[in-house]
Amino acid sequence: MSTNTKNQTNRILRYLRTGHGLTAISALTRFGCMRLAARIEEMRQEGIKVRSRTLRRNGKRFACYSL
C-alpha cells in the first residue's frame, strides 16, 4: 500500500471515529477517495469493525459505512 493510500485510509478512519457515516460520494468530496470500498476493506483486514448499510435514494442504492 502506498503512503498516499495509507494517509487517505487514516484520514477516513479518523472521520469515521467521530461518529459520522461515509458514502462513496462524500468520500470523494471530503478526501478525494475514488475507491472507498477498497479503503474500507483495508481497515477490515487490520481488524477494524466497519459497519455498512444499504441506503436508497432516488431509486439508487449505495452503501453508507460507519464504526
Side-chain angles (χ1 to χ4, degrees):
M1 178 179 345
S2 73
T3 302
N4 287 338
T5 300
K6 187 65 175 169
N7 289 339
Q8 190 176 65
T9 302
N10 287 333
R11 288 180 19 230
I12 291 169
L13 180 57
R14 280 196 308 269
Y15 180 78
L16 291 174
R17 284 184 172 151
T18 66
H20 293 95
L22 195 60
T23 65
I25 294 295
S26 59
L28 180 60
T29 303
R30 288 183 174 274
F31 307 109
C33 177
M34 297 186 73
R35 299 190 63 220
L36 178 60
R39 304 293 79 83
I40 296 297
E41 181 60 26
E42 290 164 1
M43 290 180 211
R44 288 176 172 158
Q45 287 176 357
E46 291 179 12
I48 299 165
K49 298 206 185 287
V50 180
R51 290 180 290 169
S52 62
R53 59 190 166 118
T54 302
L55 303 176
R56 286 181 187 245
R57 292 206 182 114
N58 300 323
K60 306 287 183 190
R61 291 181 3 187
F62 55 95
C64 181
Y65 299 97
S66 60
L67 295 180

